[in-house]
Amino acid sequence: MNEPPATPTATHRARAWMRSAWAVFEKDARLELRSRFALNLTLAFAGGTTVLVWLALGREGASPTVLAAMLWMVLLFGASVGLGRAFVYEAEGGTLLFLRLHAPAGALYAGKLLFNLVLVALLSASTTPAFLLVLGQGVANPGLLASSLALGAVGLAGAATLLASMLARADQRGAALLPVLLFPLLAPVLLPGVRLTRGALSGAFMWSTAQGDLTTLALFAATVITASALLFEYVWTD
């Protein structure tokens, strides 16, 4: 007598889910390494904006408050230019239906989120030192600056991944709208992020005085990723 097939255990399902998420990330990374479109577009925008800020300020320079705000604007709009490409690839290649049928919604979101996190990390790691070097601004607390940018990058990638999926399903050219829709959503990130960056540049903030803003960034990142993961299945399948 043939035995019925074994029911997959929770461990097997979790492994299958992680394999699906990694396969999505690996596919996007391979496509990006082949074309380098999103990365080049993002870095070109950030680099051009940095040069424009330098030309506008000239030799007069600017206060740490102004430079902190400008740095976050460069990172926000530079990242939003490239983050929308994660789902535009699927719309342009006609693979939206294939992914919907073969990849769990949660694993798809996780793979796209990981790809966007890597993209934002590369942008922050390359643009921030260049921005500060070009504008002649020192950093009094590098650890605090890195922590604020890292937490902000997680929140930015989480929100952008969900919005990009909605725009890609609505219109293949919807990625152009991502910066417009993303900016008001990320106000809870920008305000504490600018304060932390200003304090890190000037030395006005130490770890003890920065805990409130760091907690705000961490809570926003956790909230937006959790909410996006829960909403993604309805956005992607409906």
Side-chain angles (χ1 to χ4, degrees), residues 60-125:
E60 299 178 1
S63 66
T65 302
V66 174
L67 291 179
M70 289 182 174
L71 174 60
W72 276 88
M73 289 297 100
V74 170
L75 294 176
L76 170 62
F77 288 105
S80 60
V81 166
L83 293 183
R85 297 297 303 176
F87 286 95
V88 171
Y89 285 140
E90 315 299 349
E92 292 177 346
T95 57
L96 291 175
L97 180 60
F98 177 84
L99 286 177
R100 196 176 300 123
L101 294 175
H102 292 86
L108 178 61
Y109 174 78
K112 296 290 186 180
L113 174 62
L114 181 58
F115 174 78
N116 282 341
L117 277 173
V118 172
L119 190 63
V120 177
L122 291 174
L123 171 66
S124 299

Side-chain angles (χ1 to χ4, degrees), residues 31-42 81-82 85 89:
L31 288 174
E32 181 58 30
L33 289 174
R34 187 181 305 163
S35 66
R36 294 185 177 88
F37 183 85
L39 184 60
N40 289 340
L41 181 64
T42 299
V81 166
R85 297 297 303 176
Y89 285 140

Side-chain angles (χ1 to χ4, degrees), residues 20 24 26-27 77 79 92 103 109 126-127 139-140 197 201 223 230:
S20 297
V24 172
E26 192 176 26
K27 175 186 70 66
F77 288 105
E92 292 177 346
Y109 174 78
S126 58
T127 300
V139 182
T197 302
L201 296 180
T223 301
L230 294 174

Side-chain angles (χ1 to χ4, degrees), residues 118-159:
V118 172
L119 190 63
V120 177
L122 291 174
L123 171 66
S124 299
S126 58
T127 300
T128 302
F131 182 92
L132 298 176
L133 180 63
V134 167
L135 296 175
Q137 176 63 50
V139 182
N141 194 335
L144 180 59
L145 176 63
S147 299
S148 62
L149 292 177
L151 290 174
V154 176
L156 169 60

